[in-house]
Amino acid sequence: MVQLMRRRRAEGTESAQVEETASESKTRLIDAIPIPMGDPLEALLLSNGGPVVLRDLEFESAALDGLRQSGVELVVPLIGQGELLGALYLGPRLSDQPYSTDDRRLLGSLASQVAPAMKVAQLVREQQAEAKERERIQQELQVAALIQQTLLPKELPAITGWQVDAFYRPARAVGGDFYDFIDLEDGRLGVVIGDVTDKGVPAALVMATCRSMLRAAAQRHSAPSAVLAEVNDSLVPEIPPAMFVTCLYAIIDTGAGEIVFANAGHNLPYVRSNGGVIELRATGMPLGLMPGMSYEETSYGMGAGEVMVLTSDGITEAHSPEGEMYGFARLMGRVGKKTSEDDMLNEVVNDLEKFTGPDAEQEDDITLVVVKRTSSAQGAASTFLPLEGGVPLQDGGESEGPQVLARFSVPSEEGNERIAIAKVTAAIGSLALQPDRLERLKTAVGETVMNAIEHGNEFRSELDVEVEVCANDDTVSVLVTDQGGDKLIPEAAVPDIEAKLAGEQTPRGWGLFLIEQMVDEVKSTSNGGAHTVELVMNREGAL
Amino acid sequence: MESVFEATVSRTEDGSVVVMSGTVNRAAKEALESAYEEAASGPGKILMDFRGVDYINSTGIAVIVGVLAIARAEHRAVGAFGLTDHYREVFTITRLSDFMTIYDNETAAAAAG
Amino acid sequence: MDGFSGSLRQGLDPNTLVGGWVGVVSETMQPSSVSVWIRNDFGTLEG
């Protein structure tokens, strides 16, 4: 706080020398005594405005007594905008000459120049500090947003008979909302929605940790309550104090239509059932607060046309310009309304935007996951939605219809077949194909996507190659669609390596041959502008 | 995603090794051909070391066929090692293995006459 | 003295200002002791 000042001036050796002499041999440094607010000395200095000789003063003041005891003879106040900013205390002169009127005038004039400069310097320093802080916050926000964007799902699950939608919009300060979809065995899908208290990078890091813990636990336990209990215990020692995570974890049995969920203090789900809107309840403490928690489990059988809506509190706690909160009642009412479009996700978002007004700055992250059961027909392959362009799929009359494991597209650019290979590999990871068959399928996918990029879409990056991965009990299929029109895939001729080596044939022309050699069946169809190659691999001898 | 292809040449007692790394596709043509030329400037057999290769596609196979065509014209023996089981299978299916000897590992390749 | 007035006009950081002020006063007045008190809520002065 108070600093004793007796510095050597940096500029001008002459004056520095004078000061040194003064400080070392003659001038004595004394502790700076504060003049507290309300002390009579403060009032006097303010009313007087200039230097004051202490000897002339006659009133009771702690500060005055202290200064006199320290041998101070003259006080030069530093006054800025009517406030006492500080003071310079001088002892008697070395020459024992008293401070003359001229001396005091000079000292007063100096102080009156220092005061405004001090004020300005202080403001500049504060502004610099603020600018630095703003820059730091901005950088932190960018990092937080990056972490969050990297970890949120890039694709929505595509499941026969179900429609899954998600909406996520970060607030400027990036809160800790997240959601996730986890592929589970036996046609089950894990759905996560959560919110980390706090914002910025710390929240994003906790979110990343929590997400990977959830993913790992989801593969180990089949009950949502057990998943949350495990994540809670793992999170407690990892999470910074005063931070916690609300989270709802639901498992959808996509065949039977049953949803089982457990809830760690998150917003409850609403279901627009065929008999009206209902709130599903399950209790449990947020994750990361204390170990050994147990979580209640609730299940609900979704009928065809029924919709479940999961939200974060960024929706329910959003405010109107008048300061009213959106609230649960309004959300529940909105979920209960069925419109002709039946587009739950956009209807809730639009209603929220109407409520907060167009100019409102979003207070918190907004996350919404909507799960709709579109059809309750089980095992009917006809319920599977074909790709645009109408790709005929196997009739699938026996056993289960094909399950779509992934659907994505890559731009038609050199090298993108490797993205497709990686995504297909990830999508079929749970099928446990034998390693050699997996490698062959990867090569076939790479060659097929490469053909689609190069020959179908002719490297036009504005055209996408669409890839769909599906599986039934017996086979895995990868469908690769380009916009190459009606050209059918030619029969793959066996390339003549002798002719190629002799320079009688181009060294190229291996792609189609390889594809046919790698998989069990290759089908090719064209419909309108779209051309689809379907690679079929039997799942025989799967691990 | 794409890992850059690189090829360097090292001399052994009885020939040269073309040490490759990264992706073998059409982009590898120039580097692989100049590495082959460098290897072929010395005496003895030429071995292609695939241990550092993570991906070979059909355009890469075409590049290898191109190199084998040059070798054949020059009557140079070419061998290969360090291929994964899968790419060994691919080399068999495409009959590349009929024109370059595939060895199980570096030692076997070096030992072979 | 002139140098100090110049630095006042240019605007400096508070430490330098106070240091300059004390320096000029010591030089011109030759006091046996000198000290400065700055109200701490006005801003922290780093020594």
Side-chain angles (χ1 to χ4, degrees), chain A residues 411-472:
Chain A
S412 299
E413 288 162 7
E414 178 93 57
N416 279 355
E417 82 272 12
R418 295 196 72 181
I419 297 172
I421 293 172
K423 288 193 172 182
V424 169
T425 308
I428 62 175
S430 59
L431 302 181
L433 280 186
Q434 285 189 334
D436 56 332
R437 297 182 73 78
L438 176 63
E439 287 305 314
R440 279 192 226 148
L441 182 60
K442 281 161 69 175
T443 290
V445 168
E447 294 301 323
T448 309
V449 172
M450 216 162 66
N451 270 344
I453 289 172
E454 186 173 348
H455 302 300
N457 291 346
E458 294 165 330
F459 289 124
R460 287 159 62 193
S461 59
E462 74 275 15
L463 295 180
D464 279 348
V465 173
E466 286 163 23
V467 181
E468 183 175 275
V469 187
C470 38
N472 60 25

Side-chain angles (χ1 to χ4, degrees), chain A residues 111-134:
Chain A
S112 68
Q113 289 177 62
V114 170
M118 270 292 274
K119 200 89 190 171
V120 170
Q122 199 63 38
L123 280 174
V124 167
R125 180 183 267 206
E126 276 167 16
Q127 278 170 2
Q128 282 168 344
E130 275 171 25
K132 234 184 196 164
E133 179 66 4
R134 271 199 304 276

Side-chain angles (χ1 to χ4, degrees), chain A residues 94-155:
Chain A
L94 291 167
S95 59
D96 284 335
Q97 292 281 318
Y99 292 103
S100 68
T101 312
D102 280 347
D103 290 340
R104 280 181 277 160
R105 196 174 292 136
L106 174 65
L107 287 166
S109 144
L110 258 178
S112 68
Q113 289 177 62
V114 170
M118 270 292 274
K119 200 89 190 171
V120 170
Q122 199 63 38
L123 280 174
V124 167
R125 180 183 267 206
E126 276 167 16
Q127 278 170 2
Q128 282 168 344
E130 275 171 25
K132 234 184 196 164
E133 179 66 4
R134 271 199 304 276
E135 194 184 334
R136 191 190 63 76
I137 290 171
Q138 200 53 43
Q139 277 173 351
E140 187 179 312
L141 288 182
Q142 281 170 2
V143 172
L146 193 71
I147 296 173
Q148 222 154 1
Q149 280 161 21
T150 312
L151 295 179
L152 290 176
K154 310 275 181 297
E155 283 152 12

